[in-house]
Amino acid sequence: MSVYSTRPIALTNLQTYPLSSRKSKVSVRDFAKPPAQSWLNKFLASLPTSLPRRPPQSSRCHPTSTQAAQSHPLGIGGHVIKVASASLIDLMRHGFITSLAMNGAALVHDFEIALAGNTSEDVETGLGAGAFGMAAETGEYLNQIAKVAMRARLGYGEAAGQFLDNAVIDVPYANSSVLAAAYKLRIPVTVHLAIGTDIPHMHRTADGAALGSATHLDFRLFCSLVQQMHPAASI
């Protein structure tokens, strides 16, 4: 038993609200559009030939066979999801991204995009009223996914992609989700949490053991993915 006179706060009386009722600052309509192939080829052609690793040019801008065998990981945060999800999905489909590492904010934003088509609440508006981060679906489902990940011995990223792709619930905007697209393409996504920094951790459904298990397995997967960048290295 703890010797402290102060006890951890109880979350049993916490009040949530439907995600659909919240005003969001970002919608799927705001996403940057992937560039046309002809535009991209013109850009690649404009690069100086003196660059040591100039990207290849082709009619479809596909990676070469040598590139396809290499690891091309990408690390992202929440703001990338809010701006460039469509571009990330396009790059994955064309083989330019072979794995993704994201923080908890990116997980939250991608999940809300898939579910509601919008994300990014107004922090200033919600914080003073004690309502910031209290969208019911975000907390309920992301914490449920962590528990499923722990039981199934999956990483958080794979479990989230599986949840969205399998339509466990109605996901109207799944085609705009980086997690869902990566799962379809079998591209590994790792989610790296700092417990207590993301809004689902404030909900009564949060389970520290499940969150820790899901994100720690992703950390180990991330180590393997990094090792593939340097095949000669061994751990």
Side-chain angles (χ1 to χ4, degrees):
M1 178 177 287
S2 173
V3 299
Y4 299 151
S5 59
T6 302
R7 296 288 182 260
I9 193 170
L11 301 176
T12 52
N13 296 323
L14 182 142
Q15 296 182 351
T16 61
Y17 54 80
L19 178 60
S20 59
S21 69
R22 189 192 72 199
K23 182 180 179 180
S24 299
K25 296 188 288 185
V26 175
S27 165
V28 292
R29 296 184 296 273
D30 302 320
F31 287 168
K33 301 296 188 295
Q37 296 294 338
S38 58
W39 180 92
L40 184 57
N41 275 334
K42 290 178 181 178
F43 168 74
L44 294 175
S46 72
L47 296 176
T49 57
S50 59
L51 290 176
R53 293 181 62 84
R54 176 179 172 178
Q57 181 182 6
S58 69
S59 60
R60 293 289 298 170
C61 293
H62 285 303
T64 64
S65 58
T66 302
Q67 286 181 310
Q70 296 175 339
S71 176
H72 298 280
L74 181 67
I76 62 172
H79 287 290
V80 180
I81 292 293
K82 292 189 286 185
V83 174
S85 287
S87 298
L88 290 178
I89 293 170
D90 188 63
L91 288 169
M92 287 192 294
R93 287 174 177 163
H94 286 88
F96 285 102
I97 297 174
T98 59
S99 66
L100 275 171
M102 62 173 61
N103 61 7
L107 170 68
V108 168
H109 291 310
D110 189 79
F111 180 82
E112 290 188 346
I113 284 293
L115 192 62
N118 53 62
T119 189
S120 191
E121 64 186 296
D122 190 322
V123 178
E124 186 175 355
T125 299
L127 202 58
F132 172 70
M134 291 297 106
E137 298 92 333
T138 305
E140 177 183 352
Y141 292 125
L142 286 180
N143 285 316
Q144 178 183 329
I145 290 168
K147 294 170 187 176
V148 169
M150 181 173 66
R151 290 196 299 269
R153 297 183 180 179
L154 297 175
Y156 211 163
E158 181 176 1
Q162 183 183 71
F163 183 93
L164 295 171
D165 182 61
N166 291 351
V168 177
I169 58 173
D170 184 27
V171 188
Y173 299 92
N175 289 340
S176 297
S177 164
V178 170
L179 285 162
Y183 185 78
K184 285 179 182 292
L185 295 166
R186 298 300 185 259
I187 291 175
V189 177
T190 56
V191 176
H192 304 271
L193 300 180
I195 296 177
T197 63
D198 302 310
I199 58 177
H201 310 164
M202 301 188 292
H203 288 246
R204 63 176 67 89
T205 53
D207 184 319
L211 292 167
S213 173
T215 196
H216 185 254
L217 198 153
D218 268 351
F219 165 69
R220 292 166 52 204
L221 175 59
F222 177 75
C223 290
S224 293
L225 293 167
V226 170
Q227 186 180 21
Q228 290 177 10
M229 296 172 63
H230 308 282
S234 61
I235 297 177

